[in-house]
Amino acid sequence: MVVFSWKQETKSDIGPPPQPYIWAVPGALIPTGSDVSIFCRTPPGVTTVRLYHYEPYGRWFDHTPEGAQEVFEFSLQRMTHENVGVYYCEYRKGGEWSQKSDLLNLVMTGVYKEKPSLTVDSGPQGFSERNVTLLCHTPHSFDTFIFCRGGNASLPQNCSSQSHNTFLISPVSPGHRRTYRCFGSTKNNSFFWSLPSDPLELSIPVSPLKNHQYISPVENVRNIDRRELRNSSARFLYGGDLFLYILEPLVIWDVLGL
């Protein structure tokens, strides 16, 4: 008598092992000389975990798991020029290498000691009911400008890189509240950034007014009683030497020279 047996294939048996996960602590934007740890998470039962420094150096670091270890730490002491670049991790399990993780861009900040300043464009096209334009002022001759959303700006995915120093936020609606920073860099050394600018908080409150108005240009604002603005729940935003009085959907600007 012949007995046939078979093993039912599951999704995990088909194709390469699942993709590992990679992240950096305290973040992927690291000040010069600071420590950073890169972590890789894998399924249990792996035999080797590899952190690959993909760009610009093309080198790797292997880690042998202990027991049922699933999270692996690669520590980089005192961030230097050699540590910047693109990283990914992969692992070996059952004689086969896994898929590569997503790419991690490790950037060093403070390479250029000139500190940018971030302000709001006060011109007629720079601030309106729908759009806000931010300006990144740098004393260095940078050809790349990075605008980051969020207080600590530690994640490159929260940043936008471009060749000009203006950043358009659109659309802007009542209730919009977010903090922004900017950096300077160069195309030839895109992993080397300047010191961060001071944070600029953009806050657009919800207006209780029923009558929508838009007052422009600046000359018209000077005729408005500022006490009336304050009594109308107006709030102000400070961006460098510019105070913006914001009453949404009523938007008023005035350069106070303070």
Side-chain angles (χ1 to χ4, degrees), residues 201-213:
E201 183 180 13
L202 182 63
S203 180
I204 310 295
V206 178
S207 173
L209 296 184
K210 296 181 179 180
N211 296 324
H212 294 188
Q213 303 179 56

Side-chain angles (χ1 to χ4, degrees), residues 228-243:
E228 180 180 344
L229 286 175
R230 294 189 179 96
N231 293 334
S232 300
S233 300
R235 299 178 62 183
F236 66 87
L237 167 69
Y238 175 63
D241 57 355
L242 175 69
F243 278 84

Side-chain angles (χ1 to χ4, degrees), residues 23-211:
W23 73 97
V25 176
L29 306 184
I30 308 300
T32 304
S34 299
D35 299 338
V36 60
S37 291
I38 299 178
F39 290 88
C40 297
R41 177 183 289 125
T42 72
V46 304
T47 55
T48 304
V49 176
R50 174 169 294 177
L51 176 67
Y52 201 88
H53 193 177
Y54 179 65
E55 183 186 338
Y57 295 103
R59 56 186 178 181
W60 64 86
F61 311 89
D62 284 347
H63 200 308
T64 302
E66 299 179 0
Q69 185 178 359
E70 297 181 26
V71 177
F72 302 85
E73 179 181 2
F74 298 84
S75 180
L76 304 178
Q77 303 293 325
R78 298 186 60 82
M79 185 73 173
T80 66
H81 291 61
E82 294 183 352
N83 300 137
V84 302
V86 180
Y87 290 80
Y88 68 81
C89 58
E90 57 186 359
Y91 61 88
R92 190 173 181 85
K93 182 178 181 180
E96 187 176 8
W97 283 101
S98 70
Q99 304 176 59
K100 297 178 176 62
S101 70
D102 292 336
L103 299 181
L104 172 70
N105 295 308
L106 205 61
V107 173
M108 184 164 64
T109 63
V111 178
Y112 308 101
K113 301 305 179 183
E114 297 87 349
K115 184 176 181 178
S117 61
L118 185 61
T119 62
V120 179
D121 185 358
S122 60
Q125 302 302 320
F127 194 88
S128 71
E129 291 186 12
R130 298 181 180 178
N131 304 316
V132 175
T133 300
L134 304 182
L135 298 175
C136 187
H137 307 271
T138 59
H140 191 89
S141 55
F142 294 115
D143 57 17
T144 302
F145 302 88
I146 303 99
F147 293 85
C148 298
R149 300 167 294 278
N152 56 10
S154 62
L155 302 174
Q157 58 262 38
N158 293 335
C159 302
S160 301
S161 177
Q162 54 194 45
S163 59
H164 52 89
N165 71 332
T166 59
F167 180 68
L168 177 65
I169 306 173
S170 178
V172 176
S173 58
H176 178 98
R177 182 167 184 165
R178 186 167 288 178
T179 302
Y180 297 88
R181 291 179 185 264
C182 74
F183 298 81
S185 184
T186 63
K187 294 179 180 178
N188 294 331
N189 295 296
S190 59
F191 298 110
F192 300 151
W193 293 7
S194 71
L195 292 169
S197 67
D198 290 332
L200 173 66
E201 183 180 13
L202 182 63
S203 180
I204 310 295
V206 178
S207 173
L209 296 184
K210 296 181 179 180
N211 296 324

Side-chain angles (χ1 to χ4, degrees), residues 246-258:
I246 304 175
L247 189 57
E248 185 66 22
L250 171 63
V251 179
I252 303 172
W253 63 72
D254 189 7
V255 177
L256 301 180
L258 299 179

